Amino acid sequence: MRAGWVRALWTTDHKQVARQYLWGGFGFLLLGGLLALLIRWQWAWPGQPVPGLAWALPESRGALTPPAYTVLFTLHGLVMIFFAVTPLLFGALGHFVLPLAIGARGFAFPRLSAAGFWAYAVGGALVLASFAVRLGPASAGWTSYPPLATPAFTPGVGQTLMTVAILCVGVSAFSYGLNFVVTVVRCRAPGMTWGRMPLVVWGLFYGAVLNVLFVPVLAAATLLLLLDRVAGTQFFIAGAAAVGGGGDPIVYQHLFWLFGHPEVYILILPAWGMVGDFVAYFSRKPAHGYRLTAGAMGAVTAMSGLVYAHHLFTSGLSPVLGRAFMVLTLLISLPAEVMFLNWLMTLWRGSVRLTSPMLGALATMIVFGLGGITGLVLGAVATDVPLHGTMWVVGHFHLTMGAASFLAVFAGLYFWFPKMYGRALHEGLAKAHVLSSAVLFVGVFGGQLAAGYAGQLRRLYDPYQYTYLKPLLPLNQWTTACAFLLGASQLLFVGNLVWTLWRGRAAEPNPWNVGTLEWTCAASPPAPDNFATVPVVLRGPHVLSQPDVQQQLGRDWMGQAEVAPLGGTE
């Protein structure tokens, strides 16, 4: 029995690893979401007891105290980015889809996949353990800037546990990043040229490259910070707290954002790939400008490490450097616009099918577009300086990195769930979940943009202690209502998921009528080796609505490895 459990937990099957990441990511998504709702409660009803929270905060009878509030926004950011959204995109969807989509029997390093998951699991366990230690969990903000993250300002074990947890997820991210890159380069099926890969594979590949390049930077900064906490070093300690010269906390900020800004693209590149594929599949048209879209994602990847310092405009950055990073930041929006135009051209005059994955892709386009437009003012020095410390940044950041990634995760999950579990989710509930989430995301983060434009600063425990912010109370209460409705709307997904796993109907072999390898050459769910025989790829992923195919096969799609009866279709 024990050996069976060990085999089940230590699996090298990429599909099982993906399911492990999926459930782990869902757990932390729930935790991060609950923390967000508590933050929203504080902004709407500052200092008022939270119903049902008296057991956790007996001294304040359930009301959030300033230290508790600081813990909330610290953990919310860290949990959502490192333990929920990134693992769901790369750990769950990436692990499941990538080998199947390129015709591989598995990853190049299957044991590395398993080890990466367990590094993530250890990190998650440390986060949960930090709730039980004296002085509580981490509270230095999600960026863990020193000197706030040093023992002088955040004493106790909680901040140290979180620092080690970040190192663990860094190991996990580097391991699957390296695995993805080597697998795409070395393990593609015969005939799967670079120009025949689905766009989601391009997105995962580029995101993995960024993981390999920039996660070590975060790991180095976090390790030095850990040494400052536990070994008495002073890499990031300066001023009166330093002994014998000390270090420089600004160095940590540079290292953090040298990883932190590419992290935005690490999350959004797979989402862009999914949008490009889904828009083509459900418009029943080949992806317009396939090569341009893949090239634009490559351009964003190449430039992503050159724009990070726009996060540091207010840190005393040299004006010369400020202008250079401003120009680079604005330039990186051009490839994104190319992709957006290609998506719109694909939709134009298409036979659009509003399935749940398509709705998720369209919603991702909309919220990402809103996030991108509102970010332009943060790329320019003159407008970033007054807005940098406000809720405008929070609204922009959440639309771009939070809502867009979240909706892309569910678009992908609704698309590949039948392949993953062999069962079909209820399509009506899935559509209701995607639409309600998208509308409420805009309500929540649009409200934050409005509050930021009106001058509300980030991270204030009680904004209304400032007279000029008191008129914003109704706006924040309205935004909080949207946030709670957003949380409630997730029950549509939970109910759909539980019912489907329990008694859902068997999925059709190819419910979306697309030609990619996972839908045309593998069973649902796939066998341990994925394919009975390794497919030989003959064409790209978007052969849709071609007259000769319709004439020969009586359908509007053709498999990537399917031999045409009369030959010639590419």
Side-chain angles (χ1 to χ4, degrees):
M1 179 65 75
R2 176 177 295 180
W5 274 103
V6 170
R7 282 196 297 271
L9 293 174
W10 180 263
T11 176
T12 56
D13 183 340
H14 69 95
K15 301 174 289 294
Q16 292 292 347
V17 174
R19 295 185 185 102
Q20 290 174 329
Y21 272 113
L22 183 70
W23 293 110
F26 278 157
F28 281 104
L29 189 65
L30 174 63
L31 174 62
L34 292 174
L35 296 173
L37 292 181
L38 291 175
I39 296 171
R40 290 301 329 180
W41 175 275
Q42 174 62 23
W43 289 343
W45 299 282
Q48 298 298 312
V50 181
L53 203 66
W55 64 272
L57 299 169
E59 295 181 356
S60 61
R61 299 181 180 179
L64 294 174
T65 59
Y69 171 76
T70 307
V71 167
L72 289 180
F73 69 70
T74 296
L75 289 185
H76 166 69
L78 289 167
V79 164
M80 282 298 201
I81 292 173
F82 293 111
F83 296 93
V85 178
T86 305
L88 285 172
L89 270 172
F90 281 88
L93 294 178
H95 265 91
F96 184 80
V97 172
L98 192 137
L100 289 165
I102 62 172
R105 291 199 180 278
F107 276 105
F109 309 117
R111 290 189 178 88
L112 195 60
S113 289
F117 169 76
W118 284 106
Y120 162 74
V122 170
L126 292 176
V127 172
L128 298 177
S130 71
F131 283 90
V133 300
R134 185 171 173 270
L135 300 183
S139 58
W142 78 274
T143 52
S144 300
Y145 276 175
L148 283 176
T150 61
F153 293 91
T154 47
V157 181
Q159 188 72 41
T160 303
L161 289 177
M162 179 57 81
T163 307
V164 179
I166 297 300
L167 281 174
C168 290
V169 292
V171 170
S172 172
F174 182 83
S175 65
Y176 59 62
L178 182 65
N179 218 352
F180 282 23
V181 170
V182 176
T183 301
V184 171
V185 172
R186 298 291 301 170
C187 302
R188 301 192 309 276
M192 179 60 83
T193 62
W194 291 92
R196 289 174 174 171
M197 294 196 308
L199 288 168
V200 68
V201 175
W202 278 107
L204 288 166
F205 175 73
Y206 285 135
V209 169
L210 292 180
N211 265 324
V212 172
L213 291 177
F214 293 108
V215 166
V217 177
L218 174 71
T222 306
L223 181 61
L224 295 179
L225 182 62
L226 180 65
L227 292 174
D228 279 0
R229 287 193 63 84
V230 302
T233 58
Q234 299 183 22
F235 293 107
F236 303 127
I237 296 175
V243 177
D248 187 349
I250 298 296
V251 173
Y252 176 88
Q253 295 187 24
H254 281 272
L255 292 173
F256 179 84
W257 286 113
L258 187 54
F259 157 81
H261 196 76
E263 172 68 7
V264 175
Y265 299 108
I266 288 171
L267 291 182
I268 206 63
L269 279 163
W272 285 346
M274 280 188 266
V275 170
D277 279 335
F278 294 172
V279 166
Y281 297 154
F282 297 110
S283 295
R284 311 313 290 173
K285 287 174 61 181
H288 182 86
Y290 169 90
R291 293 179 186 276
L292 265 179
T293 299
M297 286 195 283
V300 169
T301 303
M303 296 180 67
S304 64
L306 304 176
V307 302
Y308 80 92
H310 71 257
H311 295 276
L312 302 173
F313 284 158
T314 58
S315 70
L317 196 69
S318 161
V320 175
L321 288 176
R323 280 195 292 272
F325 279 105
M326 178 180 70
V327 171
L328 289 167
T329 301
L330 296 179
L331 281 178
I332 203 172
S333 64
L334 294 179
E337 291 168 14
V338 169
M339 278 183 289
F340 216 93
L341 289 174
N342 280 338
W343 299 337
L344 293 178
M345 289 301 295
T346 305
L347 285 167
W348 178 252
R349 294 185 175 179
S351 180
V352 177
R353 299 177 182 178
L354 294 177
T355 61
S356 54
M358 182 61 159
L359 289 174
L362 296 175
T364 302
M365 287 175 58
I366 293 169
V367 298
F368 177 76
L370 291 173
I373 291 170
T374 55
L376 290 176
V377 295
L378 301 174
V381 177
T383 43
D384 176 75
V385 170
L387 288 171
H388 186 83
T390 71
M391 292 293 294
W392 181 278
V393 175
V394 180
H396 153 72
F397 173 80
H398 278 80
L399 280 171
T400 307
M401 192 168 172
S405 300
F406 179 95
L407 291 167
V409 163
F410 280 95
L413 191 61
Y414 285 130
F415 186 77
W416 283 295
F417 188 89
K419 179 61 59 178
M420 192 177 279
Y421 285 97
R423 293 177 181 272
L425 290 161
H426 189 279
E427 184 67 357
L429 286 175
K431 291 179 180 178
H433 172 240
V434 171
L435 287 174
S436 60
S437 296
V439 170
L440 291 166
F441 268 132
V442 174
V444 175
F445 302 133
Q448 291 181 344
L449 286 168
Y453 188 74
Q456 182 175 331
L457 300 177
R458 291 187 278 172
R459 301 178 177 176
L460 291 180
Y461 169 72
D462 182 1
Y464 317 108
Q465 292 180 349
Y466 297 88
T467 303
Y468 80 100
L469 293 179
K470 287 183 178 177
L472 296 182
L473 179 60
L475 171 64
N476 278 318
Q477 289 177 335
W478 179 83
T479 309
T480 295
C482 289
F484 275 85
L485 287 173
L486 176 62
S489 70
Q490 303 316 304
L491 295 176
L492 292 170
F493 170 74
V494 174
N496 198 0
L497 178 68
V498 172
W499 175 260
T500 301
L501 291 176
W502 182 38
R503 303 194 62 171
R505 63 179 173 83
E508 300 172 24
N510 188 356
W512 312 117
N513 295 324
V514 296
T516 47
L517 297 180
E518 75 271 24
W519 291 110
T520 54
C521 299
S524 299
D529 288 337
N530 290 345
F531 306 99
T533 57
V534 174
V536 177
V537 179
L538 302 172
R539 59 188 63 82
H542 305 130
V543 178
L544 295 159
S545 300
Q546 292 193 5
D548 58 335
V549 172
Q550 292 178 314
Q551 186 176 12
Q552 293 177 33
L553 302 176
R555 46 180 157 87
D556 68 348
W557 60 272
M558 192 169 188
Q560 283 190 274
E562 186 174 4
V563 178
L566 300 179
T569 299
E570 288 291 333

